[in-house]
Amino acid sequence: MNSDITIIITLYKTNEDKIKLLSQYKNFKVIIFEQAVKKNYKNKIKKISRIKFDYYFSNKNIGLSRSSNFLLSKVKSKYFLFTQPDVIINEKSIKLLQKAMSYKKNLIFTGPKFIKQNQVKKKHKEKYLIKNKLDASCMLCDTNKIKKIGFFDEDFFLYWEDIFLMRKINQSEYKMIQVTNSFANHKSGQSSKKNLYVNLIRNLNFKYGEYLFEYKINKLRKLKIIRQFLQSLLFITFNFLLLRINKALINVSNLLGILKFFKFYLKN
């Protein structure tokens, strides 16, 4: 058991195939937060994954930012691996991320090189590459440094929180690196059960996050919001009349994302 690293993962309507992937963390302490469930599914997840873990759940979807910050509050180890259930990474690659933390004193994140499944793992001339942005779906984090500077902004729900975090890191004394001999595979967009509601929630919160990010960095253009609001209304009507239901629903989710931002903006 590696006592220096804790794995933290948020689950939301996660497929059993992805829950099985949790077995790759059998030699680490694992903390799970499951969203939008009506009862404790710890035993079910334990049966599928065959690992030990601490488990927390909410009957509501509180968002990735809030759930991740909650999980961080439970971390006692020197480092934690922030990851997602559809990410594949082996123990060797995680240990290489840990080893890389000693490369510089001001490192806060180390991340693997993402490759496609069965892709040849090519060697890179440089073992460590300083980056302005890492793929936040899997990165090793220095616990104390993150608690000092703050993790995700909880105004973000599902998207853009990582971009905002990376921007904050780039404006600080801390650095992040990609470890080129550490590898991971991300089956993006497949960690949750595919259904219309999930897709609408994702699209809605992507649009909301887009405006929220621009607002927080003082680059929000009100004319853009008004234009896209009117365009969404027009496209909803147009696509419904042509019976393009899926496209119309995407337009609806865009409109709802804009309205969600309006609500936030009026409160602040």
Side-chain angles (χ1 to χ4, degrees), residues 10-121:
T10 293
L11 303 180
Y12 175 69
K13 299 184 183 299
T14 306
N15 292 318
E16 290 189 5
D17 287 346
K18 303 301 177 290
I19 293 176
K20 288 179 181 178
L21 292 178
L22 297 177
S23 62
Q24 65 192 334
Y25 305 119
K26 62 183 179 181
N27 292 324
F28 300 91
K29 179 177 176 61
V30 178
I31 311 178
I32 293 172
F33 189 97
E34 189 170 21
Q35 306 215 62
V37 291
K38 295 181 179 180
K39 62 179 181 178
N40 188 322
Y41 284 105
K42 181 176 182 178
N43 290 334
K44 180 180 178 180
I45 297 171
K46 187 175 182 180
K47 183 178 179 181
I48 296 170
S49 66
R50 298 182 179 180
I51 62 168
K52 295 181 180 180
F53 53 87
D54 293 341
Y55 177 83
Y56 302 91
F57 74 99
S58 169
N59 56 14
K60 295 181 180 180
N61 184 354
I62 65 173
L64 182 62
S65 295
R66 285 184 61 190
S67 65
S68 299
N69 288 342
F70 174 83
L71 288 170
L72 173 58
S73 72
K74 302 299 178 182
V75 173
K76 307 299 181 185
S77 56
K78 187 175 182 179
Y79 306 112
F80 67 94
L81 186 75
F82 173 79
T83 188
Q84 297 180 13
D86 54 357
V87 169
I88 300 173
I89 184 169
N90 60 33
E91 187 173 347
K92 178 183 177 181
S93 286
I94 296 173
K95 288 182 177 179
L96 287 170
L97 295 180
Q98 180 183 3
K99 183 180 179 181
M101 279 292 188
S102 61
Y103 175 59
K104 289 182 179 291
K105 289 184 178 180
N106 62 345
L107 285 183
I108 191 167
F109 298 146
T110 59
K113 182 178 180 180
F114 281 83
I115 60 174
K116 296 179 180 179
Q117 198 168 9
N118 300 321
Q119 182 180 337
V120 177
K121 299 176 181 178

